[in-house]
C-alpha cells in the first residue's frame, strides 16, 4: 500500500533538522535489494510516529503577533462590488490547541481535513501567509488511511496520525517537477501490487513529500531511520492517489501533487496540519 507515517499518543512530532542527520544523496538509483527492502518497509503506508506530546505546541509556544493560523471563514469579496476583502487572520477550521502546534515562522500550511474520525476521505488546502492574513488555495480531494485518524499511531493500525508536522524533503520515481524542496529521484520509489479496493498501486510514489513524523528531516523520504522506534510506524508521505484508502499516508491526484511540489518553499517553513475535522477544531 502507499507509504505513511504514524503519530504518537496525543502527540505531534516536532519538525526540525536534527544534528548529525545524514546528508541527502540526490538522484541515486537503488539496487534491486534496496528496492525490495524499501517496498517491504513502505508496504504499510502508515508506519512510524513521533513522540512529542500532542498537547505541547510544535514551536514550544503558541503562535502570537497576529499571525497564528486560526479558525474563521475565508473572506471573499461581495459579488458585483469588485471589492477585495482582507485575508483572514486565522486559517479556517483550526481550534486554539491545533493553532498552538504551528511554528510561529510557518508561512505555508497544508491543511488536510478528514471527513470523520473513522473516514478515509479528506480534502487538502494550501494556505499561504500574505503578510496581513492567510489565503487559501483550491480544495483538493484526497484519501487518508483506511480506518481514519488517530492521536496515538502505531505501525499497522491503518490510521493516519493527527498532528502538525514539518515538510522538508521530497522525491519520487519521476524527474523533479520543479520543487524547491530537496528532491531524491530514485528507483526505490517503484511500487506494485494492489490496494484495499483492488486498485493498482503502480505510480503511487511517482511524486512524494515526506511528512516529518518519526523520521530524520533532511534525508530522502526513503531513509528508514525511525527515531521513535519501528513500532511507532514511519514512511508517512503525501503521494499520488491510487483511487483508494492508504495505510497511513495522504494521497492526491498526480496533477495536484505536481502543483503542491512546485508551490512548497523551504524558505517559508511549510508544515502540514492533518486530522479529522473534529480534532482540528480543538
Amino acid at each position: 500500500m502507499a507509504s505513511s507515517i504514524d503519530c504518537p499518543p496525543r502527540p505531534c512530532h516536532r519538525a526540525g533538522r536534527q544534528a548529525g542527520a545524514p546528508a541527502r544523496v540526490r538522484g541515486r538509483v537503488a539496487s534491486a535489494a534496496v528496492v525490495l527492502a524499501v517496498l517491504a518497509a513502505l508496504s504499510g503506508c502508515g508506519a512510524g510516529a513521533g513522540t512529542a506530546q500532542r498537547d505541547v505546541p510544535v514551536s514550544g509556544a503558541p503562535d502570537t503577533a497576529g499571525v497564528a493560523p486560526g479558525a474563521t471563514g475565508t473572506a471573499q469579496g461581495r459579488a458585483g462590488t469588485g471589492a477585495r476583502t482582507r485575508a483572514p487572520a486565522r486559517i479556517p477550521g483550526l481550534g486554539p490547541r491545533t493553532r498552538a502546534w504551528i511554528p510561529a515562522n510557518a508561512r505555508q500550511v497544508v491543511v488536510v481535513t478528514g471527513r470523520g474520525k473513522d473516514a478515509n476521505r479528506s480534502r487538502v488546502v494550501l494556505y499561504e501567509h500574505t503578510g496581513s492574513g492567510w489565503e487559501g488555495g483550491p480544495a483538493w480531494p484526497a484519501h487518508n488511511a483506511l480506518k481514519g485518524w488517530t492521536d496515538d499511531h502505531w505501525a499497522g493500525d491503518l490510521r493516519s496520525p493527527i498532528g502538525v508536522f514539518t515538510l522538508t524533503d521530497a522525491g519520487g520515481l519521476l524527474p523533479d517537477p520543479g520543487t524547491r524542496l530537496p528532491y531524491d529521484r530514485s528507483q526505490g520509489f517503484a511500487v506494485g501490487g494492489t490496494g484495499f479496493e483492488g486498485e493498482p498501486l503502480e505510480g503511487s510514489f511517482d511524486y512524494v513529500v515526506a511528512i516529518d513524523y518519526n523520521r530524520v528531516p533532511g534525508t530522502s523520504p526513503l531513509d528508514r531511520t525511525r527515531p521513535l522506534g519501528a513500532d511507532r510506524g514511519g514512511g508517512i508521505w503525501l503521494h499520488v492517489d491510487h483511487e483508494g484508502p492508504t495505510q497511513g499516508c495522504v494521497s492526491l491526484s498526480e496533477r495536484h501533487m505536481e502543483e503542491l511540489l512546485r508551490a512548497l518553499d523551504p524558505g517559508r517553513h511549510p508544515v502540514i496540519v492533518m486530522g479529522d475535522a473534529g480534532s482540528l477544531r480543538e
Side-chain angles (χ1 to χ4, degrees), residues 120-270:
N120 55 51
R121 295 274 187 163
S122 49
R123 69 168 189 167
V124 174
V125 178
L126 172 61
Y127 288 88
E128 303 204 55
H129 203 279
T130 64
S132 60
W134 291 92
E135 285 191 355
W140 296 329
H143 279 98
N144 52 273
L146 177 68
K147 295 184 178 180
W149 301 89
T150 181
D151 282 328
D152 185 18
H153 177 71
W154 291 84
D157 66 6
L158 299 182
R159 290 183 179 271
S160 297
I162 298 170
V164 175
F165 310 94
T166 53
L167 301 173
T168 56
D169 305 282
L173 188 64
L174 297 181
D176 182 349
T179 186
R180 281 166 281 191
L181 296 176
Y183 188 91
D184 179 22
R185 184 188 183 191
S186 171
Q187 288 296 318
F189 291 102
V191 64
T194 57
F196 291 110
E197 298 178 354
E199 76 281 8
L201 298 179
E202 184 177 1
S204 299
F205 304 150
D206 282 355
Y207 298 120
V208 311
V209 176
I211 295 171
D212 289 341
Y213 170 82
N214 197 21
R215 70 179 298 271
V216 178
T219 62
S220 166
L222 295 173
D223 183 76
R224 298 179 63 189
T225 304
R226 302 289 180 255
L228 302 172
D231 58 341
R232 298 316 304 263
I236 302 295
W237 296 344
L238 283 156
H239 63 72
V240 176
D241 189 48
H242 45 77
E243 302 299 328
T246 72
Q247 294 194 29
C249 295
V250 174
S251 60
L252 295 164
S253 73
E254 184 161 327
R255 178 168 63 88
H256 293 152
M257 277 298 297
E258 288 179 349
E259 291 182 32
L260 183 62
L261 279 163
R262 294 189 186 109
L264 292 177
D265 180 357
R268 307 204 76 199
H269 309 287

